[in-house]
Amino acid sequence: MYHTTIRQFARARSNGAVNYTSHTPIELDQLRRIAPSVFAEQAHSSRSTSYSYIPTGEVLSSLMREGFRPYAVMQGGSRDDDKRGFTKHLLRLRHESQLAQVGGNHNEIVLINSHDGTSAYRLMAGIFRLVCGNGMVVAESMLEDIRVPHKGDVTGHVIEGCIQIMDRLPEVNDSVAQMTALRLTEGERRAFAAAALVARYDDKPAPVTPEQVLTLRRHDDAAPTVWNTLNTVQESLIRGGLRYVQRDDQGRRIARRQTREIGGIAQHTTVNRALWALAEEMKKLKTA
């Protein structure tokens, strides 16, 4: 069944993990309720005195004065109650001057940080696709990350980094246009999906087939282009929900299962970037 509309969605887990996306800018008070780790009032006790504590909420307030607005947030979970308010968090920002691109895509800047020492400020280019509510992250091989350590003028460096990435977003738009214009054969699409499963499950056997990963969720993705293939595969792997039969070592059926959504920020980012890199390589092969 095809789906043609998206919805605002929010998911929270018992360990404090959060995944929230909105059609409209998220206000600070709302964000504080959704993802409290963004507004931690102090660094985690494990940090040394050399750690320059600048809360993400303070940096975000400065970014908002520069025209950047948050549209999505992820907050990492922790089994340690003491760390739960300091965990890694991810914000997807759009600048008010950036209009939606052809095809209903929004350019974004992805900001990752934590207050427990597991992450410096990290800035990446991203794209949000309106038709399916998917947030992508551009491969570092195309546009390098900007990392800002917790020392010195953190806020100033983060704002400068966001502007640097925004200036290069037209390169991302050009790449999307090229991917949209290139059509793949069924064999090429299957090869892409098979490589994507390796990126998702690493050295473990994938529980689903490339054909399942390529299952269309909406009519808009029917054309076999590089861009549509990337989106279809990305949504299948990130969102999960693909059915499979779990078997034991002798091949006997144990239970019916569904693939899980990728909820962790690190894996979410890693898989997203791997898929984008695969699409870039496929684009190079098709244009060689």
Short mmCIF file of all heavy atoms in Angstrom, two decimals, residues 125-162:
data_model
loop_
_atom_site.label_atom_id
_atom_site.label_comp_id
_atom_site.label_asym_id
_atom_site.label_seq_id
_atom_site.Cartn_x
_atom_site.Cartn_y
_atom_site.Cartn_z
N ALA A 125 25.89 18.24 7.10
CA ALA A 125 24.82 18.61 6.19
C ALA A 125 23.77 17.52 6.16
O ALA A 125 24.08 16.33 6.25
CB ALA A 125 25.38 18.84 4.78
N GLY A 126 22.51 17.92 6.02
CA GLY A 126 21.43 16.95 5.97
C GLY A 126 20.33 17.39 5.02
O GLY A 126 20.29 18.54 4.56
N ILE A 127 19.45 16.46 4.71
CA ILE A 127 18.27 16.74 3.87
C ILE A 127 17.06 16.09 4.52
O ILE A 127 17.14 14.95 5.00
CB ILE A 127 18.45 16.18 2.44
CG1 ILE A 127 19.48 17.02 1.67
CG2 ILE A 127 17.13 16.18 1.68
CD1 ILE A 127 19.68 16.56 0.24
N PHE A 128 15.96 16.82 4.55
CA PHE A 128 14.71 16.27 5.05
C PHE A 128 13.75 16.17 3.89
O PHE A 128 13.48 17.15 3.19
CB PHE A 128 14.11 17.15 6.15
CG PHE A 128 12.88 16.57 6.79
CD1 PHE A 128 13.01 15.67 7.83
CD2 PHE A 128 11.62 16.92 6.35
CE1 PHE A 128 11.88 15.12 8.43
CE2 PHE A 128 10.49 16.39 6.94
CZ PHE A 128 10.62 15.48 7.99
N ARG A 129 13.20 14.98 3.66
CA ARG A 129 12.29 14.74 2.54
C ARG A 129 10.85 14.77 3.06
O ARG A 129 10.43 13.92 3.83
CB ARG A 129 12.61 13.39 1.91
CG ARG A 129 11.93 13.15 0.58
CD ARG A 129 12.44 11.87 -0.05
NE ARG A 129 11.85 11.66 -1.36
CZ ARG A 129 11.23 10.55 -1.73
NH1 ARG A 129 11.10 9.55 -0.86
NH2 ARG A 129 10.76 10.42 -2.95
N LEU A 130 10.09 15.77 2.61
CA LEU A 130 8.76 16.00 3.14
C LEU A 130 7.81 14.84 2.89
O LEU A 130 6.98 14.50 3.74
CB LEU A 130 8.18 17.27 2.52
CG LEU A 130 8.76 18.60 3.02
CD1 LEU A 130 8.20 19.75 2.21
CD2 LEU A 130 8.47 18.80 4.49
N VAL A 131 7.89 14.21 1.72
CA VAL A 131 6.90 13.21 1.35
C VAL A 131 6.86 12.02 2.30
O VAL A 131 5.83 11.39 2.48
CB VAL A 131 7.12 12.73 -0.11
CG1 VAL A 131 8.36 11.89 -0.23
CG2 VAL A 131 5.90 11.96 -0.61
N CYS A 132 8.01 11.71 2.92
CA CYS A 132 8.04 10.55 3.80
C CYS A 132 8.50 10.87 5.21
O CYS A 132 8.52 10.01 6.08
CB CYS A 132 8.96 9.47 3.21
SG CYS A 132 10.64 10.04 2.88
N GLY A 133 8.87 12.13 5.47
CA GLY A 133 9.33 12.49 6.80
C GLY A 133 10.68 11.92 7.14
O GLY A 133 11.00 11.72 8.32
N ASN A 134 11.50 11.65 6.13
CA ASN A 134 12.82 11.07 6.36
C ASN A 134 13.90 12.14 6.46
O ASN A 134 13.95 13.05 5.63
CB ASN A 134 13.20 10.12 5.21
CG ASN A 134 12.72 8.71 5.46
OD1 ASN A 134 12.08 8.45 6.48
ND2 ASN A 134 13.01 7.82 4.56
N GLY A 135 14.76 12.00 7.43
CA GLY A 135 15.90 12.88 7.55
C GLY A 135 17.17 12.15 7.16
O GLY A 135 17.50 11.12 7.73
N MET A 136 17.88 12.66 6.14
CA MET A 136 19.12 12.05 5.68
C MET A 136 20.32 12.84 6.17
O MET A 136 20.20 14.01 6.54
CB MET A 136 19.14 11.99 4.15
CG MET A 136 18.08 11.09 3.56
SD MET A 136 18.31 10.93 1.78
CE MET A 136 17.13 9.62 1.45
N VAL A 137 21.47 12.20 6.15
CA VAL A 137 22.72 12.85 6.51
C VAL A 137 23.70 12.62 5.37
O VAL A 137 23.90 11.49 4.92
CB VAL A 137 23.31 12.29 7.82
CG1 VAL A 137 24.56 13.06 8.21
CG2 VAL A 137 22.28 12.35 8.94
N VAL A 138 24.29 13.70 4.89
CA VAL A 138 25.19 13.64 3.74
C VAL A 138 26.51 13.01 4.15
O VAL A 138 27.03 13.27 5.24
CB VAL A 138 25.42 15.05 3.17
CG1 VAL A 138 26.43 15.04 2.04
CG2 VAL A 138 24.10 15.63 2.70
N ALA A 139 27.06 12.18 3.27
CA ALA A 139 28.33 11.49 3.56
C ALA A 139 29.45 12.50 3.73
O ALA A 139 29.53 13.51 3.02
CB ALA A 139 28.66 10.51 2.44
N GLU A 140 30.36 12.21 4.65
CA GLU A 140 31.49 13.11 4.92
C GLU A 140 32.44 13.16 3.73
O GLU A 140 33.17 14.14 3.56
CB GLU A 140 32.24 12.67 6.18
CG GLU A 140 33.24 13.70 6.66
CD GLU A 140 33.78 13.41 8.05
OE1 GLU A 140 33.54 12.31 8.57
OE2 GLU A 140 34.43 14.31 8.62
N SER A 141 32.43 12.13 2.89
CA SER A 141 33.27 12.14 1.70
C SER A 141 32.87 13.25 0.74
O SER A 141 33.66 13.68 -0.10
CB SER A 141 33.20 10.78 0.99
OG SER A 141 31.85 10.47 0.65
N MET A 142 31.62 13.70 0.85
CA MET A 142 31.15 14.79 -0.01
C MET A 142 31.30 16.15 0.67
O MET A 142 31.72 17.12 0.06
CB MET A 142 29.69 14.56 -0.39
CG MET A 142 29.12 15.68 -1.25
SD MET A 142 27.38 15.41 -1.67
CE MET A 142 27.09 16.93 -2.61
N LEU A 143 30.93 16.22 1.93
CA LEU A 143 30.99 17.48 2.66
C LEU A 143 31.45 17.18 4.08
O LEU A 143 30.74 16.55 4.84
CB LEU A 143 29.62 18.16 2.65
CG LEU A 143 29.57 19.67 2.83
CD1 LEU A 143 28.23 20.22 2.32
CD2 LEU A 143 29.77 20.07 4.27
N GLU A 144 32.65 17.63 4.40
CA GLU A 144 33.27 17.27 5.68
C GLU A 144 32.49 17.83 6.88
O GLU A 144 31.91 18.91 6.82
CB GLU A 144 34.71 17.80 5.74
CG GLU A 144 35.68 17.07 4.83
CD GLU A 144 37.11 17.55 5.04
OE1 GLU A 144 37.33 18.36 5.96
OE2 GLU A 144 37.99 17.12 4.28
N ASP A 145 32.52 17.04 7.96
CA ASP A 145 31.95 17.50 9.23
C ASP A 145 32.77 18.67 9.76
O ASP A 145 33.94 18.84 9.43
CB ASP A 145 31.99 16.39 10.28
CG ASP A 145 31.12 15.22 9.90
OD1 ASP A 145 30.42 15.28 8.88
OD2 ASP A 145 31.14 14.23 10.66
N ILE A 146 32.13 19.45 10.60
CA ILE A 146 32.83 20.47 11.38
C ILE A 146 32.69 20.10 12.84
O ILE A 146 31.58 19.90 13.34
CB ILE A 146 32.25 21.87 11.11
CG1 ILE A 146 32.51 22.27 9.65
CG2 ILE A 146 32.85 22.90 12.08
CD1 ILE A 146 31.92 23.60 9.26
N ARG A 147 33.81 19.95 13.53
CA ARG A 147 33.81 19.56 14.94
C ARG A 147 34.28 20.73 15.80
O ARG A 147 35.30 21.34 15.49
CB ARG A 147 34.69 18.33 15.15
CG ARG A 147 34.11 17.05 14.53
CD ARG A 147 35.08 15.89 14.68
NE ARG A 147 34.48 14.61 14.30
CZ ARG A 147 34.35 14.16 13.06
NH1 ARG A 147 34.79 14.91 12.06
NH2 ARG A 147 33.80 13.00 12.81
N VAL A 148 33.55 20.99 16.85
CA VAL A 148 33.88 22.08 17.77
C VAL A 148 34.06 21.50 19.16
O VAL A 148 33.08 21.05 19.78
CB VAL A 148 32.77 23.15 17.78
CG1 VAL A 148 33.13 24.27 18.77
CG2 VAL A 148 32.54 23.72 16.39
N PRO A 149 35.30 21.46 19.68
CA PRO A 149 35.52 20.91 21.03
C PRO A 149 34.94 21.82 22.11
O PRO A 149 34.65 22.99 21.86
CB PRO A 149 37.04 20.83 21.12
CG PRO A 149 37.53 21.88 20.18
CD PRO A 149 36.54 21.92 19.05
N HIS A 150 34.80 21.27 23.30
CA HIS A 150 34.23 22.03 24.41
C HIS A 150 35.30 22.91 25.06
O HIS A 150 35.69 22.72 26.22
CB HIS A 150 33.65 21.06 25.45
CG HIS A 150 32.39 20.40 25.00
ND1 HIS A 150 31.13 20.85 25.34
CD2 HIS A 150 32.19 19.32 24.20
CE1 HIS A 150 30.22 20.07 24.79
NE2 HIS A 150 30.83 19.13 24.10
N LYS A 151 35.76 23.88 24.30
CA LYS A 151 36.72 24.85 24.84
C LYS A 151 36.71 26.09 23.97
O LYS A 151 36.35 26.04 22.79
CB LYS A 151 38.13 24.25 24.90
CG LYS A 151 38.68 23.80 23.55
CD LYS A 151 40.05 23.17 23.72
CE LYS A 151 40.62 22.70 22.37
NZ LYS A 151 41.96 22.08 22.54
N GLY A 152 37.06 27.22 24.55
CA GLY A 152 37.09 28.46 23.81
C GLY A 152 35.70 28.99 23.51
O GLY A 152 34.73 28.72 24.23
N ASP A 153 35.59 29.74 22.41
CA ASP A 153 34.32 30.35 22.00
C ASP A 153 33.47 29.32 21.27
O ASP A 153 33.34 29.33 20.05
CB ASP A 153 34.60 31.56 21.10
CG ASP A 153 33.33 32.27 20.66
OD1 ASP A 153 32.26 32.02 21.27
OD2 ASP A 153 33.40 33.06 19.70
N VAL A 154 32.86 28.42 22.04
CA VAL A 154 32.09 27.33 21.45
C VAL A 154 30.93 27.87 20.61
O VAL A 154 30.75 27.47 19.45
CB VAL A 154 31.55 26.40 22.56
CG1 VAL A 154 30.60 25.37 21.97
CG2 VAL A 154 32.70 25.71 23.28
N THR A 155 30.16 28.79 21.18
CA THR A 155 28.98 29.29 20.48
C THR A 155 29.37 29.95 19.16
O THR A 155 28.76 29.71 18.12
CB THR A 155 28.22 30.29 21.36
OG1 THR A 155 27.81 29.65 22.57
CG2 THR A 155 26.99 30.83 20.64
N GLY A 156 30.39 30.79 19.18
CA GLY A 156 30.84 31.47 17.97
C GLY A 156 31.30 30.51 16.90
O GLY A 156 30.98 30.67 15.71
N HIS A 157 32.03 29.47 17.32
CA HIS A 157 32.54 28.49 16.36
C HIS A 157 31.40 27.65 15.77
O HIS A 157 31.43 27.28 14.59
CB HIS A 157 33.57 27.59 17.02
CG HIS A 157 34.85 28.28 17.35
ND1 HIS A 157 35.46 29.16 16.50
CD2 HIS A 157 35.66 28.20 18.46
CE1 HIS A 157 36.59 29.62 17.04
NE2 HIS A 157 36.72 29.05 18.25
N VAL A 158 30.38 27.32 16.59
CA VAL A 158 29.25 26.56 16.07
C VAL A 158 28.47 27.39 15.05
O VAL A 158 28.10 26.88 13.98
CB VAL A 158 28.33 26.11 17.22
CG1 VAL A 158 27.03 25.53 16.67
CG2 VAL A 158 29.03 25.08 18.09
N ILE A 159 28.22 28.64 15.35
CA ILE A 159 27.51 29.51 14.40
C ILE A 159 28.30 29.63 13.10
O ILE A 159 27.74 29.52 12.00
CB ILE A 159 27.26 30.90 15.03
CG1 ILE A 159 26.27 30.80 16.19
CG2 ILE A 159 26.75 31.88 13.97
CD1 ILE A 159 26.08 32.09 16.96
N GLU A 160 29.60 29.85 13.22
CA GLU A 160 30.45 29.95 12.04
C GLU A 160 30.40 28.65 11.22
O GLU A 160 30.33 28.66 9.99
CB GLU A 160 31.89 30.25 12.45
CG GLU A 160 32.85 30.40 11.28
CD GLU A 160 34.27 30.65 11.74
OE1 GLU A 160 34.48 30.92 12.95
OE2 GLU A 160 35.19 30.57 10.91
N GLY A 161 30.42 27.52 11.93
CA GLY A 161 30.37 26.23 11.25
C GLY A 161 29.06 26.03 10.51
O GLY A 161 29.04 25.51 9.38
N CYS A 162 27.94 26.42 11.12
CA CYS A 162 26.64 26.31 10.47
C CYS A 162 26.59 27.14 9.19
O CYS A 162 26.05 26.70 8.16
CB CYS A 162 25.53 26.75 11.41
SG CYS A 162 25.16 25.58 12.74
#
